[in-house]
Amino acid sequence: MLKPAAMTDQTPDPLPPGAPAEPPADAKISAARSVAFDLLRAVLAKNTPLDEALVAHDGMNWLPDRDRGFARTLVATTLRRLGHVDRLIDGCLAQPLPLKASAVRDVLRIAATELLVLKVAPHAAVDSAVNLVRSRGHEKFAKLTNAVLRRLDREARDTIDTLPALDALPDWLARNWRATYGDETAEAMAAAVQREPVLDITVKADPDHWAETLGATVLQTGTLRRPIEGRIDALPGFDEGAWWVQDAAAALPVRLLGDVAGKTVVDLCAAPGGKTAQLAAGAAHVIAVDRAARRVKRMQENLARLQLAATCVTADAAKWRPPSPVDAVLLDAPCSATGTIRRHPDIPWLKGEGDVAKLVVLQDRLLDAAVAMVKPGGTVVFCTCSLESAEGAERIAALLARTPGLRRVPITADEIGGLSQSITADGDLRTRPDHLADSGGIDGFYACRLVKD
């Protein structure tokens, strides 16, 4: 870690490709960096999910495409490496910043990420940060901002990538992963979630054709994968409803139901509808339930684009019951979503251990409801996009202990594209971010298949 010391300036380097066009020398602030700062504040100071902040910020609409992409990348990368940049910033401070200067720390975080991770030239990152601090009413911290960033650029450019990947995460999450997976695997997972995600696509039919059309590869699980480039809704096949976006791990739980043609399947907590679409494409009679009317409307819009049919119900899934017992229930339960950090880097900073404790209570209620909905011989598949054991195997152990006449049916590798490393000793599904590392990784998912005798 850096130790506080006197700091000096240094000659700036040229602006690298990919950074936003800089304003004139007398401009007060870089628009893209100002937007990135606002987005980071929305997440860290107001506890707003990043996706919501991106939609709500008017600046994202008037920024040029290049700057919009830079702002999005900058805030996402800052969140992915937040523990690292905080450690290095603290090493440059003789004493902590006062609470009233929390905005100054967020400016430093943004600029440190530019310098140390994105490798932006010092003059672009430092000058803009100083102007941003001044524009937000913290003139007295302008010199400190300049000094800290100049020192980070001088001393820490090669340091950040030597820090343990787990140090980029909040302590509670790093501790949980170490306890559950061991130090080596937890470190590999933490490194994996720092990488930029890819675009995963589920097609209704003819994956080879669409792979060629979209410039994608077909994973062993059947998911199509390509880089995230440009607008998703401008890609071939989107308007005609040939495919939908769905992480490769999220597409696996439906497979555990086998052939669903002609069966009545309830999809609980279904929105935005990726799994509902899979079931409908498999010719199931789908009842998709979600408690949020806004999310149900979005799911209906998605299904309409895909030209797939399902009965959509707005209701509390823990209380709602189908008219008669059904063949199968798929429960993708609300959870901490720590398996999706590579796509949603704000999650570690929005969630905490207390949130997990509250969510497991809801998951137990939903599991009991799901079991009550299926007929004898019916199947329940429970899944979460969480890497926390409390939201996975521990929930199933508790369910089996309190529910007679329910048994686990182990998953086989051929059901999930040969991903044998993702099958636990109990026969459940457990994907991790470091799985499929050579082809871009995968979200963390847990799934278990149960049959009601």
Side-chain angles (χ1 to χ4, degrees):
M1 184 183 299
L2 298 177
K3 295 180 180 179
M7 307 173 195
T8 59
D9 206 340
Q10 79 176 55
T11 304
D13 299 318
L15 190 66
E22 277 300 292
D26 61 348
K28 293 183 178 180
I29 194 167
S30 158
R33 292 178 176 92
S34 179
V35 169
F37 166 81
D38 290 342
L39 295 172
L40 187 66
R41 294 289 287 169
V43 173
L44 300 180
K46 301 178 182 178
N47 213 44
T48 304
L50 179 57
D51 285 348
E52 293 181 15
L54 286 164
V55 172
H57 199 301
D58 289 340
M60 290 297 287
N61 295 323
W62 50 255
L63 280 178
D65 287 347
R66 186 186 186 197
D67 286 2
R68 187 184 304 121
F70 180 75
R72 184 191 297 266
T73 296
L74 181 52
V75 68
T77 306
T78 301
L79 290 166
R80 287 193 182 98
R81 304 300 293 272
L82 190 60
H84 287 163
V85 297
D86 272 354
R87 177 178 175 179
L88 294 171
I89 289 168
D90 288 343
C92 293
L93 296 173
Q95 56 188 15
L97 288 167
L99 290 178
K100 64 181 181 180
S102 64
V104 176
R105 174 170 283 275
D106 286 338
V107 173
L108 288 171
R109 286 163 162 167
I110 289 283
T113 300
E114 287 191 77
L115 288 170
L116 306 179
V117 183
L118 300 181
K119 310 300 183 185
V120 170
H123 82 278
V126 178
D127 293 352
S128 185
V130 171
N131 287 333
L132 186 53
V133 164
R134 285 174 171 151
S135 74
R136 301 305 166 108
H138 294 285
E139 171 67 38
K140 69 177 182 177
F141 291 101
K143 289 184 178 179
L144 174 69
T145 299
N146 179 75
V148 168
L149 294 175
R150 294 294 180 184
R151 185 175 175 210
L152 286 174
D153 177 64
R154 188 171 64 251
E155 300 180 16
R157 278 188 177 257
D158 297 325
T159 300
I160 192 164
D161 291 328
T162 69
L163 300 176
L166 282 165
D167 286 359
L169 299 173
D171 289 343
W172 73 269
L173 189 57
R175 184 173 59 251
N176 281 2
W177 287 8
R178 285 191 179 100
T180 302
Y181 301 100
D183 290 349
E184 184 177 349
T185 297
E187 180 68 11
M189 289 163 50
V193 300
Q194 290 178 11
R195 302 184 189 114
E196 290 287 335
V198 288
L199 182 66
D200 284 355
I201 291 171
T202 299
V203 295
K204 290 197 291 188
D206 203 353
D208 291 333
H209 163 73
W210 285 109
E212 181 178 358
T213 302
L214 293 167
T217 58
V218 183
L219 299 180
Q220 63 192 85
T221 60
T223 290
L224 272 59
R225 174 164 288 181
R226 72 186 301 275
I228 297 178
E229 297 172 343
R231 293 178 59 93
I232 292 172
D233 57 5
L235 292 173
F238 181 88
D239 287 339
E240 52 264 50
W243 51 265
W244 60 96
V245 175
Q246 184 179 36
D247 187 83
L252 296 177
V254 169
R255 290 175 168 234
L256 308 183
L257 293 172
D259 184 3
V260 295
K263 294 181 179 180
T264 300
V265 183
V266 172
D267 184 5
L268 295 178
C269 310
K275 296 176 183 65
T276 296
Q278 283 181 276
L279 292 166
H285 303 298
V286 191
I287 305 173
V289 183
D290 200 279
R291 68 181 303 167
R294 174 181 56 83
R295 287 167 57 83
V296 170
K297 180 180 179 182
R298 179 184 172 193
M299 177 167 58
Q300 290 171 321
E301 292 170 349
N302 290 339
L303 291 170
R305 177 181 67 83
L306 296 169
Q307 301 173 50
L308 294 171
T311 300
C312 297
V313 177
T314 304
D316 183 343
K319 298 177 180 179
W320 177 87
R321 294 294 182 273
S324 59
V326 298
D327 297 300
V329 172
L330 174 65
L331 169 58
D332 185 357
C335 66
S336 62
T338 54
T340 68
I341 291 174
R342 65 195 186 117
R343 300 188 187 280
H344 303 287
D346 52 328
I347 283 173
W349 310 103
L350 296 175
K351 306 285 186 180
E353 287 180 295
D355 296 295
V356 174
K358 294 175 184 177
L359 286 162
V360 299
V361 175
L362 174 59
Q363 290 158 14
D364 284 344
R365 291 178 56 217
L366 290 167
L367 273 166
D368 290 337
V371 172
M373 293 180 196
V374 294
K375 62 179 64 171
T379 301
V380 173
V381 169
F382 168 73
C383 63
T384 61
C385 56
S386 170
L387 288 160
E388 314 317 300
S389 59
E391 298 181 287
E394 291 181 28
R395 300 279 52 77
I396 295 301
L399 175 67
L400 291 172
R402 69 176 180 267
T403 312
L406 195 63
R407 57 186 170 87
R408 173 190 266 119
V409 179
I411 298 162
T412 60
D414 62 303
E415 294 180 281
I416 55 172
L419 296 179
S420 56
Q421 75 271 32
S422 299
I423 299 178
T424 71
D426 290 326
D428 299 339
L429 174 73
R430 161 51 73 206
T431 60
R432 304 193 315 251
D434 56 314
H435 289 167
L436 295 182
D438 292 342
S439 54
I442 192 170
D443 279 357
F445 244 83
Y446 171 84
C448 179
R449 177 171 54 200
L450 304 162
V451 169
K452 186 178 184 179
D453 292 330

